[in-house]
């Protein structure tokens, strides 16, 4: 059992505005490798080789091999107790905002009503030149197989001639404007803010917990390891999100 402080329990019982930022760590227990962890993607591939526009221009086949591998993986896995406990939390908080850096769609599949997907969704497909959307918009798992399956050695082209690319946000690219506005507003207005399973080093996402704190929120971090954000937190709960979030929800609302 984690030592969930009485302060957090009382704050959550009274709270009407709660915001949550998640990162790859919350999906680790579903079987998705993190980026910077021991078995993370970046131990095998440098980000600048794979998650930039330059990388795609240089070697689109390599980039699509990586994304198609990850799409296939996402189809095989399921949300875990951490995702489901956040769905439960949402039912008790009148203004609950779910912000995620993850592109795996697992919050939506677990039942979160309107997750803000800051870095897009790995199942989306768009044109690299004109951004025309080639996605199947239905994110339900049943519909994933209807998505365009990309053969990396024969990448389809848009009517404008541009290659199709995954609908995610690469380094050096702007995040969707509305997602950023909504995330910033919810963070600044929150009474309790959770940073869960993120190394908290990629911006602008890493700014939201600090913005919450600067505007008076009680800042809670849930992570198996400390991060650069930990010293700024009011409460650091060390451990797996799939254990700790359900414990919090059971403690506060059972
Ligand atoms: C557990 C757990 C368990 C494990 N339970 N916990 C210098 C050069 C170039 C750019 C910049 C620069 N300085 C700043 C920038 C900006 C840049 C940036 O922030 N870089 C930093 C690295 C310094 N940001 C951007 O470029 C962003 N855009 C932008 O700023 O636009 C404005 C602009 C325009 C033009 C020019 C310049 C700026 C875009 C960022 C996009 C990030 N994209 C990626 C890939 C997305 C697509 C894909 O998935 O392929 O997003 S990178 C990758 O990192 C991915 C993630 O969403 C993101 C965050 O990673 P996350 O989720 O935190 O994962 P990890 O692995 O780092 O951490 C996992 C954590 O979980 C760990 O702490 C574990 O301990 C923990 N954990 N198991 C609980 N069971
Ligand atoms: Zn196009």
């Amino acid at each position: 059992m984690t030592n969930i402080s009485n302060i957090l329990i009382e704050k959550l019982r009274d709270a009407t505005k709660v915001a949550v930022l998640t990162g790859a760590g919350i999906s680790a227990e579903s079987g998705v490798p993190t980026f910077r962890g021991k078995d993370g993607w970046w131990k095998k591939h440098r980000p600048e080789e794979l998650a930039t526009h330059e990388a795609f221009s240089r070697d689109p086949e390599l980039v699509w091999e990586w994304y198609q591998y990850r799409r296939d993986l996402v189809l095989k896995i399921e949300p875990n107790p951490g995702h489901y406990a956040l769905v439960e939390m949402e039912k008790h908080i009148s203004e609950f905002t779910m912000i995620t850096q993850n592109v795996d769609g697992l919050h939506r599949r677990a039942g979160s009503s309107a997750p803000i997907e800051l870095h897009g969704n790995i199942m989306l497909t768009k044109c690299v030149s004109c951004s025309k959307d080639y996605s199947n918009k239905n994110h339900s798992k049943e519909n994933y197989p209807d998505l365009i399956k990309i053969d990396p050695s024969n990448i389809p082209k848009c009517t404008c001639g541009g290659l199709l690319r995954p609908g995610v946000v690469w380094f050096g690219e702007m995040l969707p404007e509305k997602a950023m506005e909504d995330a910033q507003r919810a963070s600044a207005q929150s009474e309790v803010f959770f940073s869960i399973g993120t190394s908290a080093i990629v911006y602008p996402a890493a700014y939201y917990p600090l913005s919450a704190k600067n505007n008076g929120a009680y800042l809670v971090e849930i992570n198996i390891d400390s991060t650069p954000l930990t010293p700024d937190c009011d409460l650091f709960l060390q451990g797996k999100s799939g254990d700790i979030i359900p414990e919090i929800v059971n403690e506060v609302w059972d």
Side-chain angles (χ1 to χ4, degrees), residues 108 117 121 123-126 131-141 143-144 146-148:
R108 201 185 295 270
E117 294 179 317
N121 189 298
M123 295 302 177
L124 300 178
T125 306
K126 64 179 183 182
S131 296
K132 185 173 169 192
D133 188 1
Y134 282 82
S135 313
N136 174 346
K137 282 295 176 46
N138 192 329
H139 289 278
S140 78
K141 193 187 174 195
N143 284 286
Y144 278 172
D146 294 342
L147 288 155
I148 305 168

Side-chain angles (χ1 to χ4, degrees), residues 35-36 41-42 45-56 66-67 101 119 165 168-175 199 201-204:
F35 290 92
R36 298 170 185 83
W41 294 114
W42 306 139
H45 312 276
R46 289 173 37 235
E48 55 276 22
E49 281 168 13
L50 293 171
T52 63
H53 194 278
E54 294 70 30
F56 188 75
W66 186 49
Y67 279 98
Q101 298 166 87
H119 295 162
R165 59 160 281 183
V168 299
V169 180
W170 286 328
F171 283 108
E173 292 184 326
M174 289 301 284
L175 281 66
S199 56
I201 58 168
V202 173
Y203 284 84

